[in-house]
Amino acid sequence: MPPSMDEKIEPVLAVIGHPVAGNPTQFALESAFEQANVDCRVLSFDLSPKQLLTALNGMHAMSFRGVWIDPSCRGMMSNDPETASHLGITGMDPSQPAEALRSTPESKPAQETSSHWQAISVREQVWTQLVRDRLELGGFSVQQVLVISSDTDTRKRLAQKLTSENQLAANLPKPTTPTDKAPPVQEVDPDCPPSSGSAPETVSDRIVTVSSPEEITTTSLANVWLAIDGPASEIIDAFRSSTTPPGTVLVDLNESWDANDISDWERCKMDAGSNCITRWDIHAACLAKVVPHWLNTEVREDVLREAMEEYLSV
């Protein structure tokens, strides 16, 4: 017998990207919902920039609970304030692009503007916490952070953020001189720590940036490696061959689900264990944080992660 109209309608979530094929988010969420006995429908949509405005307005009109935004669509909203305004998105922070949207109630008629969606940004908080947890579990603290990216702006932006906000470890010394602006990030040679007669060390002394694995020396003081882009096999080879401090953590910050380098990171994960934090480790932790915003319920992070591993291995 078909359900009556007054029975509860299952909530619906959307995953958007361009392209969205190959993204494991829908499969991971469905697996986690099944394990947790949560009734929810997840749909994936490939949306070009021209379709985004109409599609998200339609999703709000159809009472979708939330939207996961693939990086391929993320910039369309974060880089254009007008787009966010037209979509009725609140809580957008240009320094932290939203990874997800949560539906909000329609505004009252007396209000001038209506809020359709609330922005959710969790990724930065998630991966920095994973790094801290991994180091603390082994009894280690951050000594130096190595940022690997072929893009100069990306490299500098992340290094500056880690410096100004002291994100990776509370026990890093803070700048000795108060200032409204963060101190400039220095290009530090990982083989040459500051001499004993140098100025007092600040957080900025702990950030090293390189554009390619070729610039990484065989002896590195960095015990946190952040791989944003570049050839995974070469980065992993450098990680394996370099002499690094005990407990050094390698973090895969690439968000592309292109299968070309997934197998390299899989093998690294098998070799290095929890000292290799992959993009699916980060993604699973992000989804586990976002789901309660959408559905007021929790799902297991390990189920999300295992589902992604299964999806990516096919």
Side-chain angles (χ1 to χ4, degrees):
M1 179 181 292
S4 61
M5 292 297 292
D6 58 354
E7 285 187 15
K8 180 183 175 183
I9 299 174
E10 65 179 349
V12 182
L13 302 173
V15 178
I16 63 172
H18 186 62
V20 77
N23 189 317
T25 304
Q26 178 178 341
F27 181 74
L29 287 171
E30 289 173 339
S31 299
F33 291 153
E34 182 179 6
Q35 187 279 334
N37 197 29
V38 173
D39 186 20
C40 183
R41 180 70 61 86
V42 186
L43 304 173
S44 294
F45 300 96
D46 191 314
L47 297 178
S48 69
K50 292 181 179 180
Q51 298 170 310
L52 187 65
L53 186 63
T54 302
L56 284 174
N57 279 331
M59 290 175 193
H60 178 261
M62 292 186 288
S63 300
F64 278 43
R65 287 288 184 87
V67 179
W68 178 264
I69 311 166
D70 183 81
S72 57
C73 281
R74 209 172 289 161
M76 301 177 201
M77 287 177 282
S78 61
N79 298 335
D80 182 9
E82 288 298 317
T83 301
S85 176
H86 287 315
L87 288 169
I89 302 175
T90 58
M92 291 288 283
D93 181 352
S95 67
Q96 292 189 14
E99 295 89 23
L101 302 175
R102 178 172 68 90
S103 64
T104 58
E106 287 280 6
S107 298
K108 296 179 181 179
Q111 294 176 305
E112 293 182 3
T113 59
S114 61
S115 172
H116 292 175
W117 304 100
Q118 180 180 14
I120 304 173
S121 300
V122 296
R123 177 177 165 78
E124 206 166 84
Q125 172 194 354
V126 161
W127 71 256
T128 52
Q129 187 63 54
L130 288 175
V131 173
R132 286 195 297 268
D133 290 347
R134 175 45 40 198
L135 289 173
E136 290 172 6
L137 190 61
F140 305 112
S141 60
V142 176
Q143 296 184 30
Q144 194 176 74
V145 179
L146 174 64
V147 179
I148 310 164
S149 175
S150 58
D151 184 80
T152 303
D153 290 339
T154 300
R155 210 165 54 234
K156 289 182 177 179
R157 188 164 52 247
L158 177 58
Q160 198 70 55
K161 202 159 194 179
L162 291 174
T163 300
S164 63
E165 298 181 14
N166 195 20
Q167 290 174 308
L168 281 177
N171 59 356
L172 284 182
K174 295 184 178 181
T176 54
T177 303
T179 176
D180 292 334
K181 294 183 179 180
V185 176
Q186 301 176 11
E187 294 286 344
V188 181
D189 185 342
D191 286 342
C192 300
S195 64
S196 57
S198 62
E201 188 180 56
T202 66
V203 179
S204 61
D205 296 322
R206 303 287 188 96
I207 309 294
V208 183
T209 67
V210 298
S211 60
S212 71
E214 296 173 355
E215 299 176 39
I216 302 172
T217 56
T218 55
T219 302
S220 173
L221 297 180
N223 66 337
V224 178
W225 290 32
L226 305 178
I228 301 173
D229 54 42
S233 59
E234 294 179 23
I235 294 170
I236 293 166
D237 285 345
F239 180 73
R240 288 170 174 157
S241 60
S242 297
T243 302
T244 58
T248 297
V249 179
L250 173 60
V251 187
D252 167 26
L253 286 182
N254 194 322
E255 289 190 81
S256 170
W257 297 109
D258 189 326
N260 290 339
D261 69 347
I262 292 293
S263 57
D264 292 317
W265 286 107
E266 246 180 340
R267 286 191 291 271
C268 181
K269 183 78 174 177
M270 292 175 65
D271 293 343
S274 56
N275 280 7
C276 176
I277 300 174
T278 64
R279 70 195 69 175
W280 52 93
D281 293 323
I282 297 170
H283 193 44
C286 286
L287 291 176
K289 276 196 169 293
V290 169
V291 166
H293 289 278
W294 287 334
L295 304 174
N296 294 320
T297 190
E298 295 186 357
V299 291
R300 285 172 47 184
E301 185 179 323
D302 61 323
V303 175
L304 289 162
R305 185 171 56 251
E306 288 167 10
M308 288 182 204
E309 291 172 353
E310 179 185 346
Y311 182 92
L312 295 171
S313 65
V314 175

